[in-house]
Amino acid sequence: GVTPFDVYAINWVKKYHGSKRGGIKEQSRLEFERMFQTEAFKKAFGGVRLVDVTVDHLNHYTDILAASDLAASTIKNRLTPIKRCLALAAVDGHIAANPAYGYVPSAIKNAKKKEVRALSEDELAAVRAACSMGRNSTLMSLLVDFLWQTGLRIGEALALDRRHLDLKKEVVRVKRRIY
């Protein structure tokens, strides 16, 4: 209980294997660990004892993230390891109650849904033109066309390998993403 939360979180994530049957992918665990080392996390929780973490600290953290113009979905993702860590700290008896239980920050509650749209033909032509000027112009143009035609995000496309593609059925299966 006297351990600072930032220290507890780093030690927790090094041993964390997930809360579900399938566990957690090592890539996700490493992302959790990196998140616990960010300036935003340190600013909100640095020096705060595990037993002293409150909703006010969670609000402070989400306010820091929101001030960085992060999307509501990104803020929600950044809260996931904190919520899991505090939940297990409560289960293990390190804290009397989990302050993150049921916590939904105002940045998520009040978030406006972004309009998602594909590039227009003119916008796509401009991106293609920009890609044709640099090194690897053919590769870049192919990547842009692939992203545009499939609707994949760049992190999803970069994580693809041959086993995710069924060229006969013309199907791409997204199994993971790279941040």
Side-chain angles (χ1 to χ4, degrees):
V2 297
T3 305
F5 179 52
D6 54 344
V7 173
Y8 181 87
I10 290 291
N11 291 331
W12 168 82
V13 77
K14 287 181 180 184
K15 298 181 236 166
Y16 185 61
H17 297 291
S19 57
K20 296 182 181 167
R21 260 191 178 163
I24 185 173
K25 293 180 182 175
E26 181 62 9
Q27 178 181 345
S28 297
R29 196 196 61 72
L30 290 171
E31 185 63 30
F32 285 5
E33 188 172 347
R34 279 190 292 276
M35 193 279 311
F36 286 138
Q37 295 170 351
T38 63
E39 286 304 311
F41 183 82
K42 290 176 184 177
K43 189 173 181 181
F45 297 103
V48 177
R49 296 181 323 158
L50 173 62
V51 295
D52 294 333
V53 174
T54 65
V55 171
D56 289 338
H57 295 102
L58 297 170
N59 284 332
H60 181 53
Y61 179 65
T62 57
D63 288 346
I64 293 168
L65 298 178
S68 300
D69 288 330
L70 294 177
S73 59
T74 302
I75 293 171
K76 182 179 177 186
N77 289 341
R78 299 266 175 99
L79 283 169
T80 297
I82 295 170
K83 287 180 157 192
R84 289 184 184 179
C85 181
L86 290 170
L88 288 175
V91 167
D92 292 343
H94 298 293
I95 55 177
N98 177 3
Y101 181 77
Y103 176 73
V104 180
S106 58
I108 293 173
K109 286 181 200 170
N110 303 332
K112 295 178 184 169
K113 286 281 186 185
K114 278 188 186 177
E115 180 184 332
V116 178
R117 65 172 188 84
L119 294 175
S120 69
E121 290 288 343
D122 290 341
E123 291 167 328
L124 180 61
V127 172
R128 283 183 181 138
C131 288
S132 69
M133 294 181 209
R135 274 187 10 210
N136 301 321
S137 58
T138 303
L139 180 62
M140 291 301 293
S141 293
L142 289 170
L143 178 61
V144 167
D145 283 345
F146 180 74
L147 294 172
W148 186 71
Q149 291 176 12
T150 61
L152 291 179
R153 295 178 176 104
I154 187 68
E156 294 167 335
L158 293 174
L160 291 176
D161 62 36
R162 290 183 188 269
R163 66 184 172 194
H164 299 131
L165 306 173
D166 186 335
L167 299 177
K168 289 181 182 172
K169 294 182 182 176
E170 297 181 352
V171 172
V172 177
R173 289 183 181 81
V174 178
K175 300 287 187 177
R176 60 191 178 114
R177 63 182 176 218
I178 295 173
Y179 295 98

